Amino acid sequence: MFTEDLADFFDTDEFAVDATYTKAGGGASSVTGIRDREFLAALMVESSSPMFLMPLSSLPSGAAHGDALVVGSDSYTVRGIHRHPDGFPDCVLLKLGEA
Amino acid sequence: MADHVRKQIRAAIVTTLTGLSSTGTRVSAARVDDHPTDKLPAIVVDTSEGGDIEAASIGGAGRYLERNLTVSVTVYVKAASGYADTVDQCFKEIEIALAGNQSLGGLCKFIQPLNEPQVEISDDSEKPVARARQNFLVPYITALNAPDVAH
């Protein structure tokens, strides 16, 4: 069976960054992933659509909407947890909102 | 020649709504470009909904027309929380301001809300965005051959 090696993909010497994932009930974990902030015009308001892609194996057990993710100086609330997004079967894509 | 009375009404409403507590000077007419995040909440005044026209007198080119213009006032809000309250606060200020300037300096007969604000919410962005629209009936009268003069 083919096992994907994600270490090279989530390399902090490349595009990945370290972050802290904290469940709403408490318990912080260090995670590594790739943050994206694509421009978005939501209902004619300039916005961004922050996302965080990380290995599914790094997602803390019991992760849920309302958890917190801190990336550098930016604090987010997890608004969506999309496991196995297209093209990244062993990953999870977090939809984020500003905390 | 002056502008069409419809344009004069649009401009007068922008002026009336400029300086409200919640939206300040962030008021524009018939805007098509996106709103910067740091310029919210904001108001856009538009007359693209149109309205019907009825004959108010008989005669030739100088006969009068009663025009029932619909003016839409749209509020844009972006906030992590409390956006519904902000929308309601904005429309409270808008309704009070328009009620206090019922003829827009002689341009129209009165201004009256036609509906409660219709609110759309988007949570695709880093903070929820709300866009709320309320229509107002603004009847005015012009002569057939002089749409730039209100009667």
Side-chain angles (χ1 to χ4, degrees):
Chain A
M1 179 178 171
F2 177 74
T3 302
E4 202 163 8
D5 181 6
L6 297 174
D8 287 342
F9 188 73
F10 290 108
D11 186 346
T12 54
D13 288 335
E14 299 290 341
F15 299 110
V17 293
D18 293 322
T20 302
Y21 191 110
T22 304
K23 291 194 288 186
S29 307
S30 294
V31 297
T32 300
I34 296 174
R35 178 174 56 172
D36 183 45
R37 289 180 283 193
E38 186 176 343
F39 176 81
L40 173 73
L43 299 177
M44 288 186 66
V45 173
E46 293 178 353
S47 303
S48 64
S49 178
M51 303 277 188
F52 194 77
L53 182 71
M54 57 187 259
L56 185 57
S57 58
S58 300
L59 185 68
S61 175
H65 293 198
D67 292 347
L69 186 76
V70 177
V71 185
S73 60
D74 298 323
S75 298
Y76 298 102
T77 298
V78 175
R79 285 208 205 134
I81 301 175
H82 181 28
R83 293 173 174 81
H84 315 294
D86 286 350
F88 301 94
D90 297 323
C91 297
V92 59
L93 183 65
L94 304 178
K95 179 183 176 185
L96 306 173
E98 281 187 4
Chain B
M1 179 180 282
D3 291 324
H4 195 290
V5 174
R6 184 172 56 252
K7 181 178 178 182
Q8 296 180 50
I9 287 173
R10 205 163 54 231
I13 291 177
V14 168
T15 300
T16 300
L17 299 183
T18 297
L20 300 182
S21 298
S22 296
T23 45
T25 59
R26 298 180 295 277
V27 186
S28 54
R31 181 187 177 110
V32 294
D33 49 336
D34 296 329
H35 296 265
T37 291
D38 61 350
K39 298 286 193 302
L40 297 175
I43 293 172
V44 174
V45 178
D46 193 15
T47 52
S48 59
E49 299 251 346
D52 58 0
I53 298 177
E54 298 173 8
S57 67
I58 58 174
R63 67 183 183 273
Y64 291 114
L65 302 177
E66 182 173 336
R67 300 164 178 260
N68 294 306
L69 178 65
T70 297
V71 175
S72 64
V73 177
T74 306
V75 169
Y76 294 83
V77 173
K78 185 176 187 179
S81 62
Y83 48 83
D85 292 341
T86 303
V87 165
D88 285 336
Q89 176 63 29
C90 288
F91 277 109
K92 171 192 163 186
E93 296 170 13
I94 289 165
E95 288 195 35
I96 290 172
L98 294 178
N101 193 4
Q102 279 285 283
S103 73
L104 296 174
L107 289 173
C108 64
K109 299 307 171 189
F110 60 84
I111 304 176
Q112 175 181 306
L114 284 173
N115 59 277
E116 294 292 336
Q118 296 173 304
V119 184
E120 300 169 86
I121 305 291
S122 171
D123 69 347
D124 291 334
S125 55
E126 75 279 14
K127 291 179 184 173
V129 172
R131 177 170 63 188
R133 176 172 300 161
Q134 186 171 25
N135 290 332
F136 292 82
L137 174 63
V138 185
Y140 66 101
I141 294 175
T142 70
L144 176 65
N145 60 1
D148 56 334
V149 179
H151 290 271

